[in-house]
């Protein structure tokens, strides 16, 4: 306690070292905020101003038109429907993928922590190594497998893919969480005659709220931000927002509408950014928990 | 009498069935995981290995051509350029993220005002997708309208910052964009590590009159070993995965100057219809990951064992 006090005292004086610390932090913060600022200002400027003006300058004439265009009429190739379709597609992919991968992850974690199933430890070990396999190794065989199951280029197909790629972290998250729950609690439930699923549904799941929140934050942001899996597996009808965003910006022919592009970029980032801002420490907890991979 | 016996037998059978069901429940619950591990992970890796030793092009061929595809791969200029790019990128990206992340964590740890705001600012890029941040940086770095033009308008007419269209420097722009995105992550991990360090150490160092920067470098940094290791593994997997940012920023250009292995594989799988060559590339990628991550995982499990046995 004493050490904290002396350390605090030493640090709160406004000496040159202190000024240096703030100078460093403030300039670093400015660097980190710069792209966000540029995105915001660019998205509300008319094109003339962008062509002639300075990228850092504040808008002279403010317009929300680029946002409208980005949402509902920006073109990818011949379609000019904006990226709103991608928004709904992403939502349709993210919601079931998140729920399913959390449920299976929790079930795995529970079975691994409390029930001694033969061979489960080995499976878990392989799964953990699986987290490090570059997706490119798995993509072609997975395309073939999904095609054989008639799931390729479909919503259920991309959901299954997200469940597969989310499984290592989800399982690890719940396994570690359940490992911290006293074994006695489980034994008591067994003595009271609880079966496998009854203990899971009525005892373990209700106790798992904190880790479910962490897992949901991880999965929602991770799947929303996914590009490569959506590109390969979702199919034309279900392309997620990130893929549509890239299509709008990188495949347009003719004049590039930078203001529309930046508005579309912000729109695409809005969901994960709001989750980040609202969840704060939970988000960091997810990173820390996911980082104990292996 | 006979009826009673039969009933008894039936009851015994039922009890047995119930026991069996109870015993088998965990196995049934782990079935999805077993399927995904065996088919989704192990199966697909073996499949890719097999394809990489065949002569498949658009469609899978079931012949065996040994390591021909690997020889072809390493005679492919695009692949070699990809590897070189990834090596350069990997070293710069990991070192820059670790250094910047460490500095940010240490400076934030000085009991500064507004810590929460600063942490939020440093970490928010990590919440965005690599595609989105790639597109923003593409916009910032394009010489016609971006930073170069802005500085020129401020009166420095000769200012040049056109790395993104320069074959020799384009990889650095991808480093800048992704370091901006990921160094906050290192900051968050290391800050958590710093907060876990015993205050007694600071006390002892103060008594001995050791300057603060020295304590951080010689005492605290080595103690942060596990956190640095975690950050390293996360950054390393991001390096191998590098694809989204390149697609969003440069599409591999100018020319093939910013091609990376993940993109090479995707292009050969889907655009150029050479699945055997692509699979050979993916197996090489897996091999690289194994060689670099395995020692780390081994050391970690050893450390965990030692801890457990103490």
């Amino acid at each position: 306690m004493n050490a904290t006090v002396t350390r605090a005292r030493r640090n709160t004086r406004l000496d040159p070292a202190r000024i240096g610390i703030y100078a460093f932090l403030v300039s670093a913060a400015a660097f980190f905020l710069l792209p966000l600022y540029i995105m915001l200002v660019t998205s509300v400027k008319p094109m003339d101003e962008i062509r002639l003006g300075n990228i850092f300058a504040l808008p002279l004439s403010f317009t929300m038109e680029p946002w409208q265009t980005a949402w509902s009429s920006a073109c990818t190739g011949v379609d000019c429907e904006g990226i709103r379709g991608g928004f709904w597609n992403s939502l349709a992919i993210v919601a079931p993928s998140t729920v399913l991968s959390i449920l299976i992850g929790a079930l795995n974690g529970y079975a691994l922590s409390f029930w001694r199933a033969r061979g489960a430890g080995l499976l878990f070990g392989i799964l953990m190594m699986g987290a490090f396999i570059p997706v490119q190794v798995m993509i072609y065989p997975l395309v073939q497998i999904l095609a054989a199951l008639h799931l390729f280029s479909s919503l259920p197909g991309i959901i299954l893919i997200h469940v597969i790629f989310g499984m290592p972290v989800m399982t690890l998250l719940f396994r570690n969480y359940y490992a911290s729950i006293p074994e006695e609690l489980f034994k008591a439930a067994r003595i009271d005659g609880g079966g496998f699923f009854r203990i899971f549904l009525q005892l373990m799941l209700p106790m798992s709220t904190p880790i479910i929140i962490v897992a949901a934050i991880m999965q929602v942001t991770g799947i929303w931000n996914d590009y490569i899996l959506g590109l390969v597996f979702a199919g034309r009808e279900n392309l997620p927002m990130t893929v549509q965003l890239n299509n709008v910006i990188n495949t347009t022919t003719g004049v590039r509408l930078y203001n529309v592009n930046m508005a579309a970029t912000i729109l695409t980032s809005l969901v994960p950014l709001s989750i980040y801002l609202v969840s704060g420490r939970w988000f960091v907890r997810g990173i820390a928990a996911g980082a104990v991979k292996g | 009498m006979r009826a009673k016996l039969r009933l008894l037998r039936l009851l015994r059978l039922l009890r047995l069935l119930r026991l069996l069901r109870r015993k088998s429940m965990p196995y049934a619950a782990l079935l999805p995981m077993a399927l995904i591990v065996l088919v989704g992970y192990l199966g697909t890796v073996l499949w890719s290995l097999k394809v990489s030793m065949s002569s498949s092009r658009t469609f899978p061929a079931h012949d065996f051509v040994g390591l021909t595809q690997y020889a072809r791969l390493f005679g492919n200029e695009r692949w070699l350029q990809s590897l070189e790019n990834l090596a350069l990128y990997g070293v710069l990206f990991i070192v820059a993220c670790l250094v910047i992340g460490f500095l940010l964590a240490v400076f934030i740890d000085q009991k500064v005002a507004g810590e929460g705001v600063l942490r939020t600012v440093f970490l928010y890029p990590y919440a965005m997708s690599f595609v989105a941040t790639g597109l923003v940086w593409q916009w910032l770095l394009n010489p016609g309208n971006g930073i170069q033009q802005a500085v020129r308008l401020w009166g420095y007419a000769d200012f040049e910052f056109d790395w993104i269209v320069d074959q020799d420097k384009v990889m650095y722009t991808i480093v800048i964009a992704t370091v901006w995105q990921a160094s906050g992550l290192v900051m968050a991990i290391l800050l958590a590590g710093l907060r876990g360090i015993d205050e007694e150490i600071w006390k002892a160092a103060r008594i001995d009159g050791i300057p603060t920067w020295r304590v951080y470098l010689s005492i605290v940094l080595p103690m942060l070993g596990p956190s640095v290791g975690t950050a390293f593994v996360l950054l390393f997997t991001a390096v191998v995965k590098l694809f989204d940012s390149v697609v969003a920023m440069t599409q591999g250009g100018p020319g093939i100057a910013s091609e990376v292995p993940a993109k090479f594989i995707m292009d050969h799988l889907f655009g150029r219809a050479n699945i055997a060559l692509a699979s050979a590339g993916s197996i090489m990628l897996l091999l690289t990951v194994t060689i670099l991550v395995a020692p780390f995982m081994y050391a970690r499990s050893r450390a965990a064992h030692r801890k457990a046995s103490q």
Side-chain angles (χ1 to χ4, degrees):
Chain A
M1 217 43 238
N2 203 2
T4 336
V5 172
T6 46
R7 212 171 142 206
R9 200 186 304 139
R10 172 181 62 96
N11 279 329
T12 39
R13 279 195 323 247
L14 209 68
D15 52 20
R18 207 72 199 142
I19 294 167
I21 288 170
Y22 279 108
F24 174 84
L25 285 172
V26 168
S27 37
F31 170 72
F32 275 85
L33 285 172
L34 180 78
L36 187 66
Y37 166 78
I38 300 282
M39 262 196 287
L40 282 169
V41 249
T42 307
S43 74
V44 292
K45 281 180 194 173
M47 267 316 284
D48 299 339
E49 216 181 303
I50 292 173
R51 234 174 268 125
L52 301 171
N54 182 325
I55 192 172
F56 296 105
L58 283 165
L60 295 170
S61 46
F62 178 91
T63 167
M64 279 308 274
E65 216 183 281
W67 284 70
Q68 271 171 4
T69 312
W71 179 250
S72 54
S73 63
C75 300
T76 47
V78 281
D79 304 331
C80 292
E81 306 233 306
I83 54 166
R84 62 183 162 182
F87 176 83
W88 297 112
N89 289 345
S90 278
L91 220 56
I93 295 171
V94 166
S97 307
T98 303
V99 172
L100 263 180
S101 58
I102 289 178
L103 258 180
I104 297 182
L107 194 61
N108 289 347
Y110 163 68
L112 285 167
S113 299
F114 295 113
W115 299 77
R116 311 266 170 265
R118 203 169 298 164
L122 183 68
L123 279 181
F124 179 68
I126 301 174
L127 187 66
M128 286 303 102
M129 288 192 277
F132 291 100
I133 299 175
V135 288
Q136 280 78 13
V137 185
M138 296 160 67
I139 278 184
Y140 173 73
L142 283 176
V143 169
Q144 296 287 312
I145 293 172
L146 287 200
L149 297 171
H150 300 292
L151 287 174
F152 183 60
S153 281
S154 73
L155 193 59
I158 179 72
I159 292 168
L160 176 64
I161 289 293
H162 281 303
V163 169
I164 292 178
F165 284 102
M167 187 175 269
V169 180
M170 288 298 110
T171 303
L172 179 75
L173 218 56
F174 281 95
R175 193 196 77 128
N176 289 354
Y177 182 75
Y178 290 136
S180 68
I181 289 176
E183 179 92 28
E184 285 70 31
L185 201 69
F186 171 73
K187 280 186 180 145
R190 288 284 284 156
I191 291 164
D192 288 346
F196 181 88
F197 278 103
R198 215 173 138 213
I199 298 180
F200 177 62
L201 292 173
Q202 296 188 355
L203 180 69
M204 293 304 168
L205 266 192
M207 282 173 38
S208 312
T209 318
I211 203 70
I212 289 177
I213 294 175
V214 169
I217 291 169
M218 284 180 80
Q219 286 301 84
V220 172
T221 50
I223 297 172
W224 191 277
N225 288 337
D226 156 68
Y227 172 77
I228 189 167
L229 299 175
L231 180 70
V232 175
F233 293 98
R236 271 181 166 279
E237 303 299 306
N238 310 302
L239 287 182
M241 208 173 185
T242 47
V243 177
Q244 290 210 344
L245 170 71
N246 191 54
N247 287 347
V248 164
I249 295 184
N250 278 329
T251 62
T252 37
T253 43
V255 191
R256 282 195 153 200
L257 301 170
Y258 296 111
N259 48 6
V260 174
N261 291 352
M262 286 303 111
T265 311
I266 300 174
L267 283 169
T268 308
S269 311
L270 227 45
V271 168
L273 273 183
S274 357
I275 289 177
Y276 168 64
L277 289 176
V278 171
S279 65
R281 279 171 193 263
W282 291 90
F283 187 88
V284 180
R285 246 185 93 177
I287 292 174
V292 260
K293 264 188 201 169
Chain B
M1 192 60 202
R2 183 166 291 168
K4 207 177 166 192
L5 206 72
R6 194 178 284 165
L7 193 70
L8 224 76
R9 211 175 277 161
L10 194 72
L11 273 176
R12 198 181 295 158
L13 191 74
L14 270 177
R15 200 180 303 148
L16 197 77
L17 270 176
R18 230 172 56 202
L19 191 77
L20 204 70
R21 212 190 72 168
R22 181 166 290 183
K23 281 254 172 189
S24 63
M25 264 309 156
Y27 291 96
L30 284 172
L31 206 61
M33 177 169 126
L35 265 177
I36 286 180
V37 167
L38 294 178
V39 179
Y41 285 92
L42 274 184
T44 53
V45 170
L46 292 176
W47 191 336
S48 278
L49 189 66
K50 180 176 173 286
V51 173
S52 78
M53 296 188 192
S54 72
S55 62
S56 315
R57 289 195 64 93
T58 312
F59 298 104
H62 298 285
D63 55 350
F64 179 80
V65 295
L67 297 178
T68 317
Q69 300 292 355
Y70 291 85
R72 203 169 287 165
L73 190 67
F74 282 91
N76 185 317
E77 196 202 335
R78 221 172 125 110
W79 173 256
L80 294 175
Q81 175 79 50
S82 305
L83 280 186
E84 196 183 306
N85 284 344
L86 192 69
L88 172 77
Y89 170 82
V91 171
L92 289 177
F93 171 75
I94 291 179
V95 169
C97 279
L98 287 177
V99 170
I100 295 175
F102 179 67
L103 283 176
L104 290 175
V106 166
F107 277 81
I108 282 188
D109 197 35
Q110 303 308 308
K111 306 211 170 6
V112 292
E115 183 193 310
V117 177
L118 285 168
R119 286 207 323 207
T120 308
V121 167
F122 295 146
L123 192 58
Y124 88 88
Y126 190 71
M128 293 167 67
S129 81
F130 280 101
V131 172
T133 58
L135 294 170
V136 177
W137 281 95
Q138 184 203 60
W139 168 230
L140 268 168
L141 295 171
N142 90 66
N145 295 91
I147 296 175
Q148 172 176 299
Q149 178 65 9
V151 176
R152 284 185 181 178
L153 286 173
W154 282 333
Y156 304 92
D158 299 329
F159 180 78
E160 280 211 4
F161 188 43
D162 56 357
W163 291 6
I164 200 163
V165 291
D166 182 336
Q167 296 215 344
D168 297 327
K169 298 195 176 115
V170 63
M171 281 316 288
Y172 301 127
T173 62
I174 295 169
V175 172
I176 294 173
T178 47
V179 165
W180 171 80
Q181 179 152 18
S183 46
L185 168 75
V186 179
M187 181 267 317
I189 293 172
L190 293 188
L191 192 59
L194 282 176
R195 294 284 149 86
I197 282 176
D198 196 349
E199 285 285 348
E200 291 296 309
I201 287 171
W202 284 102
K203 213 168 160 186
R206 186 131 327 107
I207 291 167
D208 289 343
I210 306 170
T212 315
W213 66 269
R214 214 37 234 281
V215 181
Y216 271 113
L217 224 54
S218 313
I219 303 171
V220 173
L221 193 55
M223 288 179 74
L224 284 179
S227 304
V228 176
T230 302
F232 176 82
V233 169
L234 282 179
L235 294 174
F236 181 77
T237 39
V239 168
V240 178
K241 271 194 227 153
L242 178 66
F243 173 77
D244 305 10
S245 312
V246 173
V247 169
M249 284 179 76
T250 66
Q251 284 122 53
I256 55 165
S258 60
E259 287 289 343
V260 287
K263 186 167 173 296
F264 177 96
I265 295 165
M266 294 301 285
D267 288 348
H268 282 78
L269 274 183
F270 298 105
R272 296 168 167 247
N274 195 340
I275 52 179
L277 193 67
S279 300
S282 71
I283 295 292
M284 288 316 298
L285 218 51
L286 179 62
L287 215 62
T288 319
V289 176
T290 315
I291 292 170
L292 279 158
V293 173
F296 172 80
M297 301 310 284
Y298 178 71
R300 201 153 168 186
S301 75
R302 279 285 298 270
H305 270 290
R306 228 174 298 139
K307 215 173 199 174
S309 61
Q310 264 169 13

